[in-house]
Amino acid sequence: MMPLFRANLALTFKGLIRLPGFWVPTILFPAMLYAFFGAHNAGEGPQAVYAVASFAVYAVLGVAFFQFGVSIAEDRQSAFATWQRSLPGGPAPIWAARLCAALVFSTAAVLLVLVAAAVVGGLSLDPATQLRLLAACLLLAVPATFMGTALGYLVSGHSAVAIANLVFLPQAYLGGLWVPPQSLPAQIDAISHWTPTRHMGEVAWAVVGATPIPPASLLAVAVFTVGFIALTWVAYHRDRRRRFS
Amino acid sequence: MFARSPSSTLAIEAEGLNKRFGNVQALQGFSLSLRPGEALGLIGTNGAGKSTALKLLQGLRVPDSGRAAIFGQPAGSSGAKSRVGITPQNADFPEQMTPREMLSYAAAHFQTPKPMTELIEAFGLNRIIDRRMGGFSGGESRRVALALAFVGNPLLVFLDEPTSGLDTDGQEMFQAYARAYADAGGSLLLTSHHWDEIEQICDRIVMIDQGKQILEGALDDIRRRAGRSRVSFAMAEDTDLPAWLIEGFTFDSGRWHAIAADSDALVRRLIRDLPRCRDLQITPLDLKETVAQLRKELAA
């Protein structure tokens, strides 16, 4: 299994690293957005720290949507992916390599947000808080990833980028990742509580604020995770039936 | 140089395969067997069912009914995949990767892969082995696809239109390698629209039409079954030709041609009625003509 994992890891990383059009915007855009708008809008004090957490979650979400959502949708239409199916070894090493790549790119994207927070926002988060935020983001990458995979198996390669943006950007706004939830209009705030991103945000805000994570948000993140896994499972099998049965 | 097939088990054993896509019955009771060390050409017009048959045998599709086994292992199982090499008909490789990286990637999936140097040499990859595949021509991509089919040192190779888009050098290179592979005991299933390629590589053909096998046999047997030859001759242009000749012959490239069951009788008649005919030749039919002839007889 290890040689196959290594082979897939090399294929995945080389493929992505040599495609700056993918990774530069994916890992740079959240930090850029934070530097241009997030830092300025948040001002100073605790809100500034919450903004860093918000954009860190936004960064993880971007990697999940674009690395998993879009790339899976495109793969489903590629003859290369069909040829990969003809190789012995099964899909597990391919998936493990993709997950690894997603975690690495998520980490890079979160670290860039932290760098932007220090350089542009003038914030000096202590290392323990930064580590806690990074750990929380990597855990939150799990539901985000399954959201991406579900999308990847539900939409076609041609429409994947448009639909990913259509889901991703409203999710970020509704979840209070761009604008603090307190500043959202009342109706939007009411909707916000039903989005996974709001609860992902709540987890990250509690981590940087050193306050207990709201149990309702933890439960909601768990429920959304299970829901997205189930949706991925159903979409994956539907896709297999269509293409290979 | 090549892995040898175990002689006791059939390389491919498919029985009664049926597959329907919506209203289209792509395969109807299709059966096929391939002995180890045999090279089989699967032929048929576009939409005849060749690609569907290949997909079922490769385990990339599941039959509605029937069964397919590769060296005794269910098609598509890990045991079957580890013995098989496949070249995709349409190879859209990741543009950022090089052929060397792709060959290494594929080799990692097999116990005893072929040395990369052998594949580079055999498929003329020297110039392009470390170039990213983004700017490759169709022929260059095809060479990589062919090398990938053999990288795992497979006992059986599926080659779907292997030389489409390949230049003459590449075609010759591939044909020599494929023939050497079969001669060394490798099994091979080839689909191609190049009849000369099938004649060059294959020992046996199966013809498929509307999802059904309509013709099967060793190349020599098929030629014997057709029992025809081509009779051709040249003639001065101002010669008056008898009506029977104009009806039975076609004129092409300065010569008159006919396919005859009894070529001796035809030649005798030509000499009697057309004493001025020149360069009279009797040649065996090529595979394309033989198959066309047999199809005509089957249809009748």
Side-chain angles (χ1 to χ4, degrees):
Chain A
M1 198 53 134
M2 276 314 281
L4 288 189
F5 174 64
R6 274 201 303 272
N8 278 288
L9 206 56
L11 183 80
T12 307
F13 270 99
K14 283 176 184 168
L16 290 174
I17 292 288
R18 291 173 187 172
L19 206 61
F22 160 74
W23 67 266
V24 170
T26 304
I27 69 168
L28 204 61
F29 194 64
M32 219 170 70
L33 212 59
Y34 168 80
F36 290 164
F37 306 108
H40 174 73
N41 290 344
E44 291 177 349
Q47 289 304 323
V49 178
Y50 290 150
V52 175
S54 298
F55 279 87
V57 172
Y58 172 71
V60 167
L61 207 61
V63 172
F65 264 80
F66 291 99
Q67 193 184 333
F68 279 92
V70 176
S71 72
I72 286 176
E74 286 172 348
D75 271 3
R76 282 167 45 225
Q77 284 165 331
S78 88
F80 174 70
T82 304
W83 174 78
Q84 275 182 304
R85 262 183 74 86
S86 74
L87 295 170
I94 300 173
W95 277 91
R98 277 189 169 162
L99 191 62
C100 235
L103 291 178
V104 169
F105 281 100
S106 294
T107 303
V110 171
L111 287 178
L112 276 181
V113 171
L114 289 171
V115 168
V119 175
V120 182
L123 288 176
S124 53
L125 290 177
D126 64 277
T129 306
Q130 293 192 31
L131 273 179
R132 277 203 311 274
L133 178 61
L134 183 61
C137 283
L138 292 181
L139 282 176
L140 293 171
V142 176
T145 295
F146 282 107
M147 219 188 305
T149 52
L151 181 92
Y153 282 110
L154 285 171
V155 304
S156 76
H158 300 299
S159 57
V161 173
I163 293 179
N165 276 311
L166 208 63
V167 179
F168 169 58
L169 299 177
Q171 279 283 336
Y173 173 70
L174 288 172
L177 302 181
W178 286 345
V179 179
Q182 304 88 317
S183 308
L184 291 172
Q187 299 93 324
I188 300 291
D189 187 45
I191 299 170
S192 173
H193 286 281
W194 295 96
T195 64
T197 36
R198 172 64 181 264
H199 297 286
M200 291 163 80
E202 294 283 357
V203 171
W205 298 323
V207 164
V208 292
T211 55
I213 298 171
S217 289
L218 263 187
L219 181 67
V221 167
V223 169
F224 275 118
T225 304
V226 172
F228 290 133
I229 289 173
L231 190 58
T232 298
W233 180 260
V234 171
Y236 171 73
H237 283 280
R238 188 187 72 147
D239 177 60
R240 272 179 64 105
R241 273 197 305 279
R242 279 188 183 167
R243 290 194 300 142
F244 300 116
S245 66
Chain B
M1 186 182 172
F2 294 108
R4 281 199 152 274
S5 308
S7 54
S8 55
T9 320
L10 284 172
I12 299 176
E13 193 177 12
E15 278 176 20
L17 293 177
N18 285 294
K19 186 72 189 172
R20 173 181 280 276
F21 297 107
N23 293 330
V24 179
Q25 186 71 43
L27 279 185
Q28 295 183 57
F30 180 74
S31 298
L32 180 95
S33 64
L34 180 68
R35 290 186 299 276
E38 194 177 26
L40 177 82
L42 185 62
I43 56 177
T45 52
N46 290 334
K50 302 187 301 286
S51 292
T52 303
L54 275 189
K55 283 191 179 115
L56 298 189
L57 296 173
Q58 292 165 355
L60 294 174
R61 286 276 186 183
V62 181
D64 298 335
S65 60
R67 57 175 283 277
I70 306 295
F71 290 105
Q73 308 284 323
S77 66
S78 192
K81 286 177 178 176
S82 64
R83 292 165 168 83
V84 164
I86 290 172
T87 184
Q89 195 179 27
N90 168 22
D92 60 346
F93 298 116
E95 297 187 346
Q96 314 87 288
M97 308 303 286
T98 67
R100 188 187 298 280
E101 287 163 346
M102 286 312 305
L103 288 169
S104 297
Y105 173 73
H109 292 77
F110 297 94
Q111 295 274 320
T112 51
K114 273 201 170 301
M116 202 181 294
T117 47
E118 182 187 319
L119 296 168
I120 293 171
E121 187 65 32
F123 294 100
L125 299 174
N126 292 294
R127 280 185 313 106
I128 56 171
I129 189 71
D130 290 313
R131 258 175 50 196
R132 291 194 193 170
M133 292 189 280
F136 274 17
S137 66
E140 287 169 334
S141 295
R142 178 52 49 186
R143 283 169 188 255
V144 178
L146 290 172
L148 283 173
F150 290 93
V151 73
N153 210 3
L155 299 175
L156 166 66
V157 179
F158 289 103
L159 299 161
D160 194 5
E161 303 288 349
T163 55
S164 67
L166 210 53
D167 57 23
T168 315
D169 277 359
Q171 287 179 19
E172 283 170 5
M173 224 177 235
F174 160 72
Q175 285 167 10
Y177 193 80
R179 194 54 254 175
Y181 168 78
D183 288 343
S187 313
L188 193 148
L189 179 56
L190 168 80
T191 73
S192 177
H193 290 294
H194 298 287
W195 295 87
D196 54 338
E197 185 166 275
I198 288 177
E199 282 193 281
Q200 188 93 33
I201 298 171
C202 299
D203 312 303
R204 193 158 66 91
I205 59 163
V206 164
M207 184 164 202
I208 183 170
D209 188 34
Q210 295 180 352
K212 282 192 272 198
Q213 182 179 307
I214 56 164
L215 186 65
E216 187 272 335
L219 288 185
D220 292 340
D221 287 347
I222 285 196
R223 283 200 190 90
R224 266 196 295 276
R225 269 158 64 187
R228 311 270 165 150
S229 327
R230 168 182 292 277
V231 174
S232 69
F233 64 94
M235 191 81 222
E237 279 181 23
D238 58 350
T239 312
D240 285 334
L241 298 172
W244 68 266
L245 192 143
I246 292 169
E247 282 164 18
F249 277 68
T250 54
F251 188 76
D252 182 37
S253 309
R255 296 178 65 79
W256 289 90
H257 301 260
I259 292 170
D262 187 349
S263 51
D264 291 342
L266 181 62
V267 167
R268 276 195 294 274
R269 191 173 182 193
L270 274 172
I271 291 169
R272 189 190 67 211
D273 291 2
L274 276 175
R276 289 172 61 203
C277 71
R278 291 181 286 110
D279 194 16
L280 190 59
Q281 289 177 9
I282 305 174
T283 47
L285 297 187
D286 63 25
L287 182 61
K288 186 179 180 182
E289 291 167 326
T290 307
V291 168
Q293 191 61 41
L294 285 171
R295 287 198 71 182
K296 240 188 258 175
E297 286 169 17
L298 283 168

